[in-house]
């Protein structure tokens, strides 16, 4: 990680007030710590629709609360924390009055996702949104108390219990965490105040490990990386807004200078103009991948303190695309003696996290496929970051079928080398087991299983295949002799 220079007073680490700018998108979830309550102000549903509605309705408790018409993303907030010690962690979400009201008008609910391994390189927000990762704690029930969360309701002593639709229990069971685990918290206004006005709440962490040491229960160094965890996005996604207002400098920001290393190779490519107050926000548009940094100078004039803090890597991925110069590499072909099978590998442009499925089969991470049928096949490529899935792409594997069934059902009724039309000067000779020539074939047709108009018996037949193949600019004669089966 490259060093990020921030002019921060050491005392800011102790006078941090817990105020946080809201983030309504998972990809810019705000890193938090347990040392102080967080005053949240939720405003809007964000730039990204986080959840696939066709999938998310079938998983977890989202949209399965006691009010079936509730909005899944309304004045929402995303936070992320990293456990610093093993133990029990919970939190209270307290609804606060707003807009001159004396009583809270918002009804807060939540979902917690994890635990995740921060070293895995996986796009957590993608698997949250597509339902691959379901909530481990979740509460979308009608609240008859201003509190909801994990642990014990401080207002009425109600203990957390497993989620049950219609229970109206506003608290879920404690989290038992291990050091290094990463968790995402999604907070949402369940079914009130659809006018989009900002709504306040207080987020306070609780639990035995928090009571023992607030500074270590949740790893407070994650908050120093105030730009958040690395972001994976898709080409064409809405702009990503980075904010330095979440830094431990709090309200003492004087100036912010933004810089970027587009190649993430350790060389800063230049500075970028910020927007908003103090230039404390940076708008990153697709497809400008790179590692972004903020240099903060405090307004109090105190000499700067150097903090060893890394920037944030933003990577935009596109829809998978086969390399047009060599989309399918033939590793082996059954026109060769050893191995007697068709093995291929797909070559894809880009550096996404891809998976592959051929001929309607299951997806696999490995781009190599073994024993692929000869002839015309299809492949579908999916980007596991959620950035797109191709339509079925046809590809041809030249090879011979190991059997055929000439029974006039329209399927495998004749036999020839599949893809023979793509070869140079091909010719095929078909023999019976005694070496008698039954048929000579080329690219214009196949053998129908007859000799002199009479059907041949179901058994093995032999063939000799001759063609020419380009080898470094020279045409080299190739021959293959083996057998196949006629089945009736």
């Amino acid at each position: 990680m490259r060093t990020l220079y921030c002019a921060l007073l050491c005392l800011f680490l102790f006078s941090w007030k817990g105020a946080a700018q809201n983030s309504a998108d998972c990809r810019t979830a705000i890193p938090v710590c347990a040392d102080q309550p967080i005053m949240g102000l939720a405003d809007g549903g964000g730039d990204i629709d986080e959840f696939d509605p066709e999938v998310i309705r079938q998983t977890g408790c989202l949209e399965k609360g006691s009010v079936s018409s509730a909005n899944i993303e309304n004045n929402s907030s995303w936070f992320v924390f990293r456990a610093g010690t093993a133990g029990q962690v919970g939190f209270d979400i307290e609804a606060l009055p707003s807009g001159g009201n004396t009583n809270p008008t918002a009804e807060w609910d939540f979902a917690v996702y994890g635990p995740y391994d921060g070293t895995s390189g996986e796009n957590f927000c993608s698997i949250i949104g597509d339902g691959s990762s379901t909530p481990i704690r979740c509460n979308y029930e009608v609240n008859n108390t201003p509190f909801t969360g994990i642990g014990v309701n401080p207002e009425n002593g109600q203990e957390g219990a497993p989620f049950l639709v219609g229970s109206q229990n506003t608290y879920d069971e404690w989290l038992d965490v291990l050091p290094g685990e990463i968790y995402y918290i999604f907070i949402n206004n369940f079914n009130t105040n659809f006018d989009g006005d900002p709504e306040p709440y207080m987020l306070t962490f609780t639990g035995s490990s928090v009571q023992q040491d607030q500074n270590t229960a949740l790893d407070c160094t994650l908050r120093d990386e105030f730009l958040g965890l690395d972001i994976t996005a898709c080409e064409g996604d809405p702009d990503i807004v980075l904010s330095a207002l979440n830094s431990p400098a709090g309200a003492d920001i004087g100036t912010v200078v933004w810089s970027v290393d587009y190649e993430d190779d350790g060389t800063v490519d230049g500075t970028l103009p910020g927007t908003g107050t103090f230039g404390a926000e940076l708008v990153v548009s697709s497809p400008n991948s790179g590692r972004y940094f903020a240099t903060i100078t405090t307004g109090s004039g105190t000499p700067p303190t150097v903090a060893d803090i890394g920037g944030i890597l933003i990577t935009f991925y596109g829809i998978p695309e086969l390399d047009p110069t060599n989309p399918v590499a033939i590793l082996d072909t059954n026109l060769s003696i050893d191995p007697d099978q068709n093995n291929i590998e797909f070559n894809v442009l880009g550096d996404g996290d891809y998976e592959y499925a051929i001929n309607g089969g299951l997806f696999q991470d490995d781009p190599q496929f073994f024993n692929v049928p000869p002839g015309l096949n299809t492949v579908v490529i999916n980007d596991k970051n959620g950035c797109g899935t191709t339509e079925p792409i046809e590809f041809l594997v030249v090879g011979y079928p190991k059997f055929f069934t000439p029974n006039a059902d329209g399927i495998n009724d004749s036999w020839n080398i599949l893809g023979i039309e793509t070869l140079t000067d091909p010719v095929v000779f078909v023999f019976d087991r005694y070496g008698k020539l039954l048929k000579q074939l080329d690219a214009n047709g196949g053998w129908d299983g007859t000799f002199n108009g009479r059907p041949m018996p179901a058994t093995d037949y032999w063939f000799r295949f001759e063609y020419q193949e380009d080898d470094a600019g020279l045409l080299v004669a190739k021959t293959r002799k083996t057998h196949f089966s006629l089945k009736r």
Side-chain angles (χ1 to χ4, degrees), residues 63-77:
E63 293 209 8
K64 288 187 177 181
S66 51
V67 179
S68 60
S69 62
N71 192 344
I72 196 170
E73 284 189 83
N74 184 57
N75 280 5
S76 52
S77 304

Side-chain angles (χ1 to χ4, degrees), residues 81 86-91 110 112-115 136-138 150-151 172-178 181 183-185 205-209:
F81 72 85
Q88 187 186 73
V89 172
F91 55 77
F110 68 88
V112 178
Y113 298 86
I136 59 171
R137 299 289 187 275
C138 188
I150 290 176
D172 283 24
E173 297 173 299
W174 295 104
L175 289 172
D176 291 316
V177 304
L178 295 174
E181 292 178 340
Y183 294 83
Y184 281 77
I185 303 174
F205 286 93
T206 60
S208 58
S209 61

Side-chain angles (χ1 to χ4, degrees), residues 6-10 297-298 300-306:
C6 302
L8 304 176
L9 286 174
C10 290
T297 303
T298 57
S300 60
T302 305
T305 300
V306 176

Side-chain angles (χ1 to χ4, degrees), residues 125-458:
C125 290
S126 175
I127 62 176
I128 287 172
D130 68 13
S132 299
S133 179
T134 58
I136 59 171
R137 299 289 187 275
C138 188
N139 200 299
Y140 261 54
E141 286 301 292
V142 172
N143 297 348
N144 54 15
T145 166
F147 287 90
T148 188
I150 290 176
V152 178
N153 189 324
E155 180 183 53
N156 56 24
Q158 182 186 50
E159 294 187 0
F163 170 72
L164 180 64
V165 174
S167 68
Q168 297 191 20
N169 187 341
T170 61
Y171 270 71
D172 283 24
E173 297 173 299
W174 295 104
L175 289 172
D176 291 316
V177 304
L178 295 174
E181 292 178 340
I182 290 177
Y183 294 83
Y184 281 77
I185 303 174
F186 172 57
I187 299 175
N188 183 63
N189 177 8
F190 184 34
N191 67 341
T192 58
N193 189 9
F194 286 92
D195 58 12
D197 289 340
E199 298 166 342
Y201 59 87
M202 186 74 73
L203 174 64
T204 305
F205 286 93
T206 60
S208 58
S209 61
V210 173
Q211 294 171 0
Q212 184 174 353
D213 192 331
Q214 293 187 22
N215 291 302
T216 61
L218 273 59
D219 185 354
C220 288
T221 63
L222 182 66
R223 192 184 58 202
D224 292 336
E225 301 173 33
F226 52 86
L227 296 181
L229 301 181
D230 291 345
I231 295 174
T232 296
C234 302
E235 292 182 3
D237 274 358
D239 293 343
I240 296 172
V241 179
L242 302 178
S243 176
L245 297 176
N246 299 316
S247 79
D252 195 34
I253 293 178
T255 61
V256 179
V257 176
W258 294 93
S259 57
V260 61
D261 171 7
Y262 287 117
E263 300 299 325
D264 193 27
D265 58 3
T267 301
V268 174
D269 295 301
T271 59
L272 300 170
T275 61
T277 307
F278 313 114
E281 293 184 335
L282 179 70
V283 178
V284 180
S285 301
S286 166
N288 296 313
S289 298
R291 189 173 293 276
Y292 293 82
F293 302 88
T295 301
I296 300 176
T297 303
T298 57
S300 60
T302 305
T305 300
V306 176
D308 186 12
I309 304 172
I312 181 172
L313 178 64
I314 299 177
T315 307
F316 290 96
Y317 293 110
I319 295 176
E321 179 184 356
L322 284 175
D323 186 343
T325 62
N326 183 27
V328 182
I330 304 298
L331 306 179
D332 300 293
T333 170
N334 68 1
L335 298 179
S336 301
I337 296 175
D338 186 23
D340 184 15
Q341 59 179 290
N342 303 304
N343 303 326
I344 65 168
E345 181 175 13
F346 296 106
N347 296 317
V348 182
L349 299 178
D351 55 357
D353 189 7
Y354 303 125
E355 58 183 3
Y356 310 80
I358 67 170
N359 301 327
L362 298 177
F363 280 102
Q364 66 178 50
D365 294 339
D366 192 340
Q368 293 186 0
F369 286 80
F370 300 94
N371 208 16
V372 178
L376 200 61
N377 296 266
T378 60
V379 61
V380 173
I381 307 172
N382 176 57
D383 175 41
K384 293 195 291 184
N385 294 300
C387 293
T389 303
T390 66
E391 295 295 325
I393 303 170
E394 292 185 341
F395 66 95
L396 178 66
V397 172
V398 179
Y400 75 93
K402 297 190 176 184
F403 70 92
F404 78 120
T405 55
N407 55 9
D409 66 352
I411 303 173
N412 298 325
D413 281 335
S414 65
W415 185 94
N416 201 348
I417 304 297
L418 299 179
I420 189 174
E421 68 278 0
T422 66
L423 301 176
T424 302
D425 298 331
V427 61
V428 183
F429 303 94
V430 179
F431 306 90
D432 66 13
R433 60 187 300 180
Y434 303 106
K436 181 179 180 178
L437 179 63
L438 303 178
K439 188 71 173 181
Q440 179 176 328
L441 308 172
D442 56 21
N444 296 317
W447 184 43
D448 63 1
T450 66
F451 179 67
N452 290 334
R454 291 181 292 114
M456 298 300 291

